[in-house]
Short mmCIF file of all heavy atoms in Angstrom, two decimals:
data_model
loop_
_atom_site.label_atom_id
_atom_site.label_comp_id
_atom_site.label_asym_id
_atom_site.label_seq_id
_atom_site.Cartn_x
_atom_site.Cartn_y
_atom_site.Cartn_z
N MET A 1 -26.78 31.97 132.52
CA MET A 1 -26.02 32.38 131.34
C MET A 1 -26.89 32.32 130.10
O MET A 1 -27.80 31.47 130.02
CB MET A 1 -24.83 31.44 131.17
CG MET A 1 -23.79 31.52 132.28
SD MET A 1 -22.12 31.22 131.70
CE MET A 1 -22.32 29.52 131.11
N SER A 2 -26.60 33.12 129.17
CA SER A 2 -27.30 33.04 127.88
C SER A 2 -26.43 33.64 126.80
O SER A 2 -25.51 34.42 127.05
CB SER A 2 -28.68 33.75 127.94
OG SER A 2 -28.46 35.15 128.19
N ILE A 3 -26.77 33.23 125.57
CA ILE A 3 -26.02 33.71 124.41
C ILE A 3 -26.61 35.04 123.96
O ILE A 3 -27.84 35.18 123.87
CB ILE A 3 -26.13 32.66 123.28
CG1 ILE A 3 -25.21 31.51 123.54
CG2 ILE A 3 -25.79 33.31 121.93
CD1 ILE A 3 -23.74 31.79 123.36
N THR A 4 -25.74 36.01 123.68
CA THR A 4 -26.19 37.23 123.05
C THR A 4 -25.40 37.46 121.79
O THR A 4 -24.26 37.02 121.69
CB THR A 4 -26.03 38.44 124.01
OG1 THR A 4 -24.68 38.55 124.42
CG2 THR A 4 -26.92 38.32 125.22
N ILE A 5 -26.03 38.13 120.86
CA ILE A 5 -25.36 38.41 119.59
C ILE A 5 -25.24 39.89 119.37
O ILE A 5 -26.16 40.70 119.64
CB ILE A 5 -26.13 37.73 118.41
CG1 ILE A 5 -25.39 37.98 117.10
CG2 ILE A 5 -27.59 38.17 118.37
CD1 ILE A 5 -25.82 37.05 115.96
N ASN A 6 -24.08 40.29 118.89
CA ASN A 6 -23.84 41.66 118.52
C ASN A 6 -24.05 41.80 117.01
O ASN A 6 -23.24 41.37 116.23
CB ASN A 6 -22.39 42.03 118.90
CG ASN A 6 -22.08 43.50 118.61
OD1 ASN A 6 -22.65 44.07 117.69
ND2 ASN A 6 -21.17 44.09 119.39
N TYR A 7 -25.20 42.36 116.65
CA TYR A 7 -25.53 42.43 115.22
C TYR A 7 -24.64 43.42 114.45
O TYR A 7 -24.57 43.36 113.25
CB TYR A 7 -26.99 42.80 115.09
CG TYR A 7 -27.95 41.63 115.40
CD1 TYR A 7 -28.73 41.63 116.55
CD2 TYR A 7 -28.00 40.52 114.54
CE1 TYR A 7 -29.57 40.55 116.83
CE2 TYR A 7 -28.85 39.45 114.82
CZ TYR A 7 -29.61 39.47 115.98
OH TYR A 7 -30.41 38.42 116.24
N GLU A 8 -23.96 44.29 115.18
CA GLU A 8 -23.03 45.17 114.50
C GLU A 8 -21.82 44.35 113.98
O GLU A 8 -21.34 44.62 112.88
CB GLU A 8 -22.51 46.25 115.48
CG GLU A 8 -23.56 47.17 116.00
CD GLU A 8 -23.99 48.20 114.97
OE1 GLU A 8 -23.12 48.73 114.26
OE2 GLU A 8 -25.22 48.46 114.87
N LYS A 9 -21.39 43.39 114.78
CA LYS A 9 -20.22 42.56 114.37
C LYS A 9 -20.63 41.44 113.42
O LYS A 9 -19.81 41.03 112.60
CB LYS A 9 -19.59 41.99 115.63
CG LYS A 9 -18.86 43.00 116.49
CD LYS A 9 -18.19 42.32 117.66
CE LYS A 9 -17.38 43.30 118.48
NZ LYS A 9 -16.72 42.62 119.64
N CYS A 10 -21.80 40.89 113.58
CA CYS A 10 -22.24 39.75 112.75
C CYS A 10 -22.34 40.14 111.27
O CYS A 10 -22.93 41.15 110.95
CB CYS A 10 -23.60 39.25 113.22
SG CYS A 10 -24.20 37.86 112.26
N CYS A 11 -21.71 39.30 110.42
CA CYS A 11 -21.67 39.66 109.00
C CYS A 11 -22.88 39.13 108.25
O CYS A 11 -23.01 39.40 107.04
CB CYS A 11 -20.37 39.12 108.38
SG CYS A 11 -20.31 37.34 108.45
N TRP A 12 -23.77 38.40 108.91
CA TRP A 12 -24.96 37.90 108.19
C TRP A 12 -26.07 38.98 108.26
O TRP A 12 -26.61 39.28 109.30
CB TRP A 12 -25.44 36.63 108.90
CG TRP A 12 -26.53 35.93 108.17
CD1 TRP A 12 -27.86 36.09 108.35
CD2 TRP A 12 -26.39 34.96 107.09
NE1 TRP A 12 -28.54 35.27 107.48
CE2 TRP A 12 -27.67 34.57 106.71
CE3 TRP A 12 -25.26 34.41 106.46
CZ2 TRP A 12 -27.87 33.65 105.71
CZ3 TRP A 12 -25.50 33.48 105.47
CH2 TRP A 12 -26.78 33.11 105.07
N LYS A 13 -26.34 39.53 107.11
CA LYS A 13 -27.35 40.62 107.06
C LYS A 13 -28.26 40.45 105.85
O LYS A 13 -27.76 40.03 104.79
CB LYS A 13 -26.66 41.99 107.00
CG LYS A 13 -25.71 42.25 108.21
CD LYS A 13 -25.08 43.62 108.11
CE LYS A 13 -23.89 43.80 109.08
NZ LYS A 13 -24.21 43.49 110.45
N ASP A 14 -29.51 40.73 106.01
CA ASP A 14 -30.48 40.63 104.91
C ASP A 14 -30.43 39.23 104.25
O ASP A 14 -30.51 39.11 103.04
CB ASP A 14 -30.20 41.71 103.83
CG ASP A 14 -30.43 43.09 104.42
OD1 ASP A 14 -31.29 43.27 105.29
OD2 ASP A 14 -29.69 44.01 103.98
N GLY A 15 -30.23 38.19 105.06
CA GLY A 15 -30.31 36.86 104.57
C GLY A 15 -29.08 36.35 103.87
O GLY A 15 -29.13 35.32 103.18
N LYS A 16 -27.97 37.06 103.99
CA LYS A 16 -26.73 36.59 103.33
C LYS A 16 -25.51 37.08 104.05
O LYS A 16 -25.56 38.03 104.79
CB LYS A 16 -26.67 37.05 101.89
CG LYS A 16 -26.70 38.51 101.70
CD LYS A 16 -26.73 38.87 100.20
CE LYS A 16 -26.66 40.38 99.96
NZ LYS A 16 -27.84 41.08 100.44
N CYS A 17 -24.40 36.36 103.76
CA CYS A 17 -23.13 36.74 104.35
C CYS A 17 -22.55 37.93 103.63
O CYS A 17 -22.52 37.94 102.38
CB CYS A 17 -22.15 35.56 104.28
SG CYS A 17 -20.51 35.99 104.88
N THR A 18 -22.14 38.92 104.33
CA THR A 18 -21.63 40.15 103.68
C THR A 18 -20.14 40.29 103.85
O THR A 18 -19.59 41.39 103.57
CB THR A 18 -22.33 41.39 104.26
OG1 THR A 18 -22.08 41.42 105.68
CG2 THR A 18 -23.83 41.33 104.01
N SER A 19 -19.46 39.21 104.28
CA SER A 19 -18.01 39.33 104.53
C SER A 19 -17.24 38.23 103.87
O SER A 19 -17.43 37.07 104.12
CB SER A 19 -17.75 39.28 106.03
OG SER A 19 -16.37 39.17 106.25
N CYS A 20 -16.31 38.59 102.99
CA CYS A 20 -15.50 37.56 102.34
C CYS A 20 -14.58 36.86 103.35
O CYS A 20 -14.13 35.75 103.10
CB CYS A 20 -14.70 38.12 101.16
SG CYS A 20 -13.66 39.50 101.67
N SER A 21 -14.29 37.49 104.47
CA SER A 21 -13.40 36.87 105.44
C SER A 21 -14.09 35.69 106.11
O SER A 21 -13.50 34.92 106.83
CB SER A 21 -12.96 37.89 106.47
OG SER A 21 -14.04 38.28 107.31
N CYS A 22 -15.41 35.52 105.92
CA CYS A 22 -16.14 34.40 106.44
C CYS A 22 -16.15 33.25 105.44
O CYS A 22 -16.87 32.28 105.65
CB CYS A 22 -17.56 34.83 106.75
SG CYS A 22 -18.07 34.59 108.45
N GLY A 23 -15.44 33.38 104.35
CA GLY A 23 -15.40 32.30 103.37
C GLY A 23 -16.62 32.37 102.45
O GLY A 23 -16.88 31.45 101.70
N GLY A 24 -17.40 33.42 102.53
CA GLY A 24 -18.49 33.60 101.64
C GLY A 24 -19.77 32.90 102.09
O GLY A 24 -20.85 33.07 101.54
N ALA A 25 -19.67 32.06 103.11
CA ALA A 25 -20.83 31.28 103.50
C ALA A 25 -21.23 31.48 104.96
O ALA A 25 -22.31 31.09 105.36
CB ALA A 25 -20.59 29.81 103.23
N CYS A 26 -20.36 32.05 105.74
CA CYS A 26 -20.62 32.30 107.11
C CYS A 26 -21.07 31.03 107.83
O CYS A 26 -22.08 30.99 108.49
CB CYS A 26 -21.67 33.39 107.27
SG CYS A 26 -21.56 34.22 108.88
N VAL A 27 -20.27 29.98 107.68
CA VAL A 27 -20.63 28.71 108.24
C VAL A 27 -20.04 28.47 109.62
O VAL A 27 -19.33 27.56 109.84
CB VAL A 27 -20.19 27.55 107.28
CG1 VAL A 27 -21.06 27.53 106.06
CG2 VAL A 27 -18.75 27.66 106.95
N GLY A 28 -20.34 29.33 110.53
CA GLY A 28 -19.77 29.17 111.86
C GLY A 28 -20.78 28.76 112.86
O GLY A 28 -20.85 27.59 113.25
N CYS A 29 -21.56 29.65 113.32
CA CYS A 29 -22.38 29.46 114.50
C CYS A 29 -23.44 28.39 114.37
O CYS A 29 -23.54 27.50 115.21
CB CYS A 29 -22.98 30.80 114.95
SG CYS A 29 -24.02 31.54 113.67
N ALA A 30 -24.25 28.44 113.37
CA ALA A 30 -25.41 27.55 113.24
C ALA A 30 -24.94 26.10 113.13
O ALA A 30 -25.54 25.21 113.75
CB ALA A 30 -26.27 27.93 112.05
N GLU A 31 -23.88 25.88 112.33
CA GLU A 31 -23.38 24.51 112.15
C GLU A 31 -22.71 23.97 113.40
O GLU A 31 -22.68 22.77 113.60
CB GLU A 31 -22.40 24.48 110.96
CG GLU A 31 -23.08 24.63 109.60
CD GLU A 31 -23.59 26.05 109.33
OE1 GLU A 31 -23.28 26.96 110.09
OE2 GLU A 31 -24.34 26.20 108.35
N ALA A 32 -22.14 24.85 114.19
CA ALA A 32 -21.45 24.42 115.41
C ALA A 32 -22.42 24.07 116.52
O ALA A 32 -22.09 23.26 117.39
CB ALA A 32 -20.53 25.52 115.91
N CYS A 33 -23.63 24.56 116.50
CA CYS A 33 -24.56 24.37 117.61
C CYS A 33 -25.10 22.94 117.59
O CYS A 33 -25.70 22.47 116.63
CB CYS A 33 -25.70 25.36 117.49
SG CYS A 33 -26.92 25.15 118.83
N PRO A 34 -24.92 22.24 118.71
CA PRO A 34 -25.33 20.82 118.72
C PRO A 34 -26.84 20.61 118.92
O PRO A 34 -27.33 19.50 118.80
CB PRO A 34 -24.56 20.28 119.96
CG PRO A 34 -24.39 21.46 120.86
CD PRO A 34 -24.24 22.67 119.93
N VAL A 35 -27.54 21.69 119.26
CA VAL A 35 -28.95 21.50 119.51
C VAL A 35 -29.85 22.30 118.58
O VAL A 35 -31.08 22.42 118.77
CB VAL A 35 -29.30 21.88 120.96
CG1 VAL A 35 -28.62 20.93 121.94
CG2 VAL A 35 -28.89 23.32 121.30
N GLY A 36 -29.28 22.88 117.50
CA GLY A 36 -30.08 23.58 116.53
C GLY A 36 -30.73 24.83 117.05
O GLY A 36 -31.85 25.19 116.62
N ALA A 37 -30.03 25.52 117.93
CA ALA A 37 -30.65 26.74 118.53
C ALA A 37 -30.43 27.98 117.69
O ALA A 37 -31.02 29.02 117.99
CB ALA A 37 -30.07 26.93 119.95
N ILE A 38 -29.57 27.85 116.66
CA ILE A 38 -29.25 29.02 115.87
C ILE A 38 -29.74 28.85 114.42
O ILE A 38 -29.45 27.85 113.78
CB ILE A 38 -27.73 29.32 115.83
CG1 ILE A 38 -27.23 29.48 117.26
CG2 ILE A 38 -27.42 30.54 115.04
CD1 ILE A 38 -25.73 29.69 117.37
N THR A 39 -30.47 29.82 113.93
CA THR A 39 -30.90 29.79 112.53
C THR A 39 -30.56 31.12 111.91
O THR A 39 -30.56 32.18 112.54
CB THR A 39 -32.41 29.55 112.40
OG1 THR A 39 -33.08 30.49 113.23
CG2 THR A 39 -32.79 28.15 112.82
N ARG A 40 -30.21 31.03 110.61
CA ARG A 40 -29.90 32.27 109.85
C ARG A 40 -31.10 32.58 108.96
O ARG A 40 -31.38 31.82 108.02
CB ARG A 40 -28.63 32.10 109.06
CG ARG A 40 -27.39 32.05 109.98
CD ARG A 40 -26.12 32.17 109.17
NE ARG A 40 -25.87 30.97 108.39
CZ ARG A 40 -25.21 29.91 108.83
NH1 ARG A 40 -24.68 29.89 110.03
NH2 ARG A 40 -25.02 28.90 108.05
N LYS A 41 -31.77 33.62 109.27
CA LYS A 41 -32.90 34.05 108.45
C LYS A 41 -32.46 35.39 107.86
O LYS A 41 -31.41 35.48 107.28
CB LYS A 41 -34.17 34.17 109.30
CG LYS A 41 -34.53 32.76 109.86
CD LYS A 41 -35.77 32.81 110.73
CE LYS A 41 -36.08 31.40 111.27
NZ LYS A 41 -37.24 31.41 112.21
N GLU A 42 -33.27 36.40 107.98
CA GLU A 42 -32.82 37.74 107.57
C GLU A 42 -31.59 38.14 108.40
O GLU A 42 -30.61 38.70 107.89
CB GLU A 42 -33.92 38.77 107.70
CG GLU A 42 -34.99 38.70 106.66
CD GLU A 42 -34.43 39.01 105.27
OE1 GLU A 42 -33.99 40.15 105.06
OE2 GLU A 42 -34.47 38.13 104.39
N LEU A 43 -31.68 37.82 109.68
CA LEU A 43 -30.57 38.00 110.61
C LEU A 43 -30.39 36.66 111.34
O LEU A 43 -31.26 35.77 111.23
CB LEU A 43 -30.85 39.11 111.61
CG LEU A 43 -30.97 40.53 111.06
CD1 LEU A 43 -31.42 41.47 112.18
CD2 LEU A 43 -29.63 40.98 110.46
N VAL A 44 -29.31 36.52 112.07
CA VAL A 44 -29.10 35.32 112.89
C VAL A 44 -30.08 35.36 114.08
O VAL A 44 -30.19 36.41 114.77
CB VAL A 44 -27.67 35.27 113.38
CG1 VAL A 44 -27.47 34.13 114.39
CG2 VAL A 44 -26.74 35.04 112.20
N GLU A 45 -30.75 34.28 114.29
CA GLU A 45 -31.69 34.18 115.41
C GLU A 45 -31.25 33.07 116.35
O GLU A 45 -30.90 31.98 115.90
CB GLU A 45 -33.13 33.96 114.95
CG GLU A 45 -33.64 35.13 114.10
CD GLU A 45 -35.07 34.93 113.65
OE1 GLU A 45 -35.70 33.94 114.13
OE2 GLU A 45 -35.53 35.72 112.83
N ILE A 46 -31.32 33.35 117.63
CA ILE A 46 -30.93 32.33 118.66
C ILE A 46 -32.14 32.05 119.54
O ILE A 46 -32.78 32.95 120.08
CB ILE A 46 -29.78 32.87 119.52
CG1 ILE A 46 -28.55 33.19 118.65
CG2 ILE A 46 -29.40 31.87 120.59
CD1 ILE A 46 -27.47 33.96 119.34
N ASP A 47 -32.44 30.73 119.60
CA ASP A 47 -33.54 30.28 120.47
C ASP A 47 -32.97 29.92 121.81
O ASP A 47 -32.41 28.83 122.01
CB ASP A 47 -34.24 29.10 119.84
CG ASP A 47 -35.43 28.64 120.63
OD1 ASP A 47 -35.60 29.06 121.81
OD2 ASP A 47 -36.24 27.88 120.09
N ASN A 48 -33.04 30.83 122.76
CA ASN A 48 -32.41 30.58 124.06
C ASN A 48 -33.12 29.49 124.85
O ASN A 48 -32.56 28.95 125.83
CB ASN A 48 -32.34 31.87 124.87
CG ASN A 48 -31.06 32.69 124.54
OD1 ASN A 48 -29.99 32.18 124.74
ND2 ASN A 48 -31.26 33.88 124.06
N SER A 49 -34.33 29.12 124.44
CA SER A 49 -35.01 27.99 125.13
C SER A 49 -34.38 26.66 124.76
O SER A 49 -34.53 25.67 125.49
CB SER A 49 -36.50 28.01 124.79
OG SER A 49 -36.73 27.62 123.48
N LYS A 50 -33.66 26.62 123.63
CA LYS A 50 -32.98 25.39 123.23
C LYS A 50 -31.54 25.37 123.68
O LYS A 50 -30.93 24.31 123.80
CB LYS A 50 -32.99 25.20 121.70
CG LYS A 50 -34.36 24.94 121.08
CD LYS A 50 -34.17 24.74 119.58
CE LYS A 50 -35.51 24.45 118.89
NZ LYS A 50 -35.32 24.34 117.43
N CYS A 51 -30.94 26.52 123.85
CA CYS A 51 -29.50 26.64 124.12
C CYS A 51 -29.12 25.95 125.42
O CYS A 51 -29.81 26.07 126.44
CB CYS A 51 -29.15 28.14 124.19
SG CYS A 51 -27.43 28.44 124.62
N VAL A 52 -28.00 25.22 125.37
CA VAL A 52 -27.50 24.51 126.54
C VAL A 52 -26.19 25.15 127.05
O VAL A 52 -25.43 24.56 127.81
CB VAL A 52 -27.32 23.00 126.26
CG1 VAL A 52 -28.68 22.36 126.03
CG2 VAL A 52 -26.38 22.75 125.13
N ASN A 53 -25.90 26.36 126.54
CA ASN A 53 -24.75 27.11 127.05
C ASN A 53 -23.40 26.41 126.88
O ASN A 53 -22.53 26.50 127.71
CB ASN A 53 -24.94 27.49 128.54
CG ASN A 53 -26.17 28.41 128.72
OD1 ASN A 53 -26.48 29.23 127.88
ND2 ASN A 53 -26.83 28.24 129.86
N CYS A 54 -23.25 25.72 125.77
CA CYS A 54 -22.01 24.97 125.53
C CYS A 54 -20.88 25.85 125.05
O CYS A 54 -19.71 25.50 125.16
CB CYS A 54 -22.23 23.84 124.53
SG CYS A 54 -22.48 24.40 122.85
N GLY A 55 -21.18 26.97 124.44
CA GLY A 55 -20.16 27.89 123.99
C GLY A 55 -19.54 27.59 122.60
O GLY A 55 -18.69 28.27 122.14
N ALA A 56 -20.05 26.53 121.96
CA ALA A 56 -19.48 26.14 120.64
C ALA A 56 -19.63 27.27 119.61
O ALA A 56 -18.73 27.49 118.82
CB ALA A 56 -20.15 24.85 120.15
N CYS A 57 -20.74 27.93 119.62
CA CYS A 57 -20.98 28.99 118.66
C CYS A 57 -20.03 30.17 118.86
O CYS A 57 -19.59 30.81 117.91
CB CYS A 57 -22.41 29.47 118.66
SG CYS A 57 -22.96 30.07 120.29
N VAL A 58 -19.73 30.47 120.10
CA VAL A 58 -18.86 31.55 120.45
C VAL A 58 -17.45 31.27 119.86
O VAL A 58 -16.83 32.16 119.24
CB VAL A 58 -18.73 31.76 121.99
CG1 VAL A 58 -17.71 32.84 122.32
CG2 VAL A 58 -20.08 32.08 122.57
N ASN A 59 -17.02 30.04 120.02
CA ASN A 59 -15.72 29.64 119.46
C ASN A 59 -15.72 29.60 117.95
O ASN A 59 -14.69 29.87 117.31
CB ASN A 59 -15.31 28.28 120.00
CG ASN A 59 -15.08 28.29 121.52
OD1 ASN A 59 -14.68 29.32 122.07
ND2 ASN A 59 -15.34 27.20 122.19
N ALA A 60 -16.84 29.30 117.36
CA ALA A 60 -16.92 29.17 115.92
C ALA A 60 -17.01 30.52 115.19
O ALA A 60 -16.54 30.61 114.03
CB ALA A 60 -18.13 28.32 115.54
N CYS A 61 -17.53 31.49 115.83
CA CYS A 61 -17.73 32.76 115.15
C CYS A 61 -16.43 33.51 114.89
O CYS A 61 -15.66 33.78 115.80
CB CYS A 61 -18.65 33.65 115.98
SG CYS A 61 -18.92 35.29 115.18
N LYS A 62 -16.17 33.80 113.60
CA LYS A 62 -14.95 34.45 113.20
C LYS A 62 -14.98 35.96 113.47
O LYS A 62 -13.99 36.64 113.30
CB LYS A 62 -14.65 34.20 111.72
CG LYS A 62 -14.49 32.74 111.41
CD LYS A 62 -14.40 32.52 109.90
CE LYS A 62 -14.28 31.06 109.55
NZ LYS A 62 -14.35 30.84 108.11
N HIS A 63 -16.13 36.44 113.81
CA HIS A 63 -16.26 37.91 113.97
C HIS A 63 -16.54 38.34 115.39
O HIS A 63 -16.88 39.47 115.62
CB HIS A 63 -17.41 38.39 113.06
CG HIS A 63 -17.11 38.26 111.62
ND1 HIS A 63 -16.29 39.14 110.93
CD2 HIS A 63 -17.42 37.30 110.70
CE1 HIS A 63 -16.16 38.75 109.66
NE2 HIS A 63 -16.84 37.61 109.52
N ASP A 64 -16.37 37.40 116.30
CA ASP A 64 -16.51 37.76 117.74
C ASP A 64 -17.86 38.38 118.01
O ASP A 64 -17.98 39.33 118.78
CB ASP A 64 -15.39 38.72 118.14
CG ASP A 64 -15.16 38.76 119.65
OD1 ASP A 64 -15.52 37.77 120.33
OD2 ASP A 64 -14.66 39.76 120.14
N ALA A 65 -18.86 37.87 117.31
CA ALA A 65 -20.20 38.48 117.43
C ALA A 65 -21.06 37.86 118.54
O ALA A 65 -22.09 38.43 118.92
CB ALA A 65 -20.92 38.37 116.09
N LEU A 66 -20.62 36.71 119.03
CA LEU A 66 -21.41 36.01 120.03
C LEU A 66 -20.74 36.02 121.38
O LEU A 66 -19.50 35.91 121.48
CB LEU A 66 -21.68 34.55 119.61
CG LEU A 66 -22.47 34.40 118.31
CD1 LEU A 66 -22.33 33.01 117.73
CD2 LEU A 66 -23.93 34.70 118.55
N SER A 67 -21.51 36.12 122.42
CA SER A 67 -20.91 36.02 123.78
C SER A 67 -21.85 35.27 124.66
O SER A 67 -23.10 35.31 124.55
CB SER A 67 -20.62 37.42 124.31
OG SER A 67 -21.76 38.21 124.34
N LEU A 68 -21.25 34.58 125.61
CA LEU A 68 -21.95 33.76 126.59
C LEU A 68 -21.67 34.35 127.95
O LEU A 68 -20.59 34.35 128.46
CB LEU A 68 -21.44 32.31 126.52
CG LEU A 68 -22.13 31.26 127.38
CD1 LEU A 68 -23.61 31.11 127.03
CD2 LEU A 68 -21.42 29.94 127.21
N ALA A 69 -22.71 34.93 128.54
CA ALA A 69 -22.50 35.59 129.84
C ALA A 69 -23.76 35.45 130.67
O ALA A 69 -24.85 35.20 130.17
CB ALA A 69 -22.17 37.06 129.65
S1 SF4 B 101 -23.99 28.06 123.34
FE1 SF4 B 101 -24.08 26.04 122.37
S2 SF4 B 101 -26.21 25.39 122.50
FE2 SF4 B 101 -26.15 27.62 122.84
S3 SF4 B 101 -26.54 28.54 120.86
FE3 SF4 B 101 -24.29 28.40 121.15
S4 SF4 B 101 -23.69 26.45 120.20
FE4 SF4 B 101 -25.95 26.42 120.53
S1 SF4 B 102 -20.59 32.92 112.73
FE1 SF4 B 102 -20.65 34.95 113.71
S2 SF4 B 102 -20.58 36.41 112.03
FE2 SF4 B 102 -21.20 34.40 111.17
S3 SF4 B 102 -23.44 34.38 111.21
FE3 SF4 B 102 -22.74 33.46 113.12
S4 SF4 B 102 -22.71 35.15 114.59
FE4 SF4 B 102 -22.72 36.05 112.53
#
């Protein structure tokens, strides 16, 4: 299993949150990850070598942009 991100759905673009429905800060996936596998740079980046497939980020994302399969 591994995490994949749908960049069409993800509201973090060009280093900032572009959706007010995210509360303006898009504080979902990266903060939920217990192992620091997710970072928000220009786009959201996932380090699958750190990921332990817990699914916390999938549950945290308000935009259904992450999937674990
Ligand atoms: S599945 Fe868990 S460990 Fe993997 S990126 Fe998401 S929150 Fe982090
Ligand atoms: S919580 Fe979802 S929409 Fe927000 S940055 Fe993470 S993947 Fe993108």
Side-chain angles (χ1 to χ4, degrees):
M1 294 211 300
S2 63
I3 284 288
T4 56
I5 183 165
N6 182 328
Y7 286 109
E8 296 286 318
K9 290 183 176 179
C10 178
C11 63
W12 188 268
K13 302 182 193 305
D14 297 327
K16 60 182 182 296
C17 177
T18 59
S19 170
C20 55
S21 68
C22 238
C26 204
V27 290
C29 57
E31 287 73 9
C33 180
V35 295
I38 302 178
T39 52
R40 290 191 290 270
K41 298 179 180 175
E42 283 296 297
L43 295 173
V44 172
E45 296 182 9
I46 301 169
D47 183 346
N48 273 302
S49 70
K50 291 183 180 177
C51 177
V52 294
N53 298 325
C54 71
C57 58
V58 177
N59 294 329
C61 179
K62 299 172 182 173
H63 293 280
D64 199 25
L66 296 164
S67 57
L68 184 60

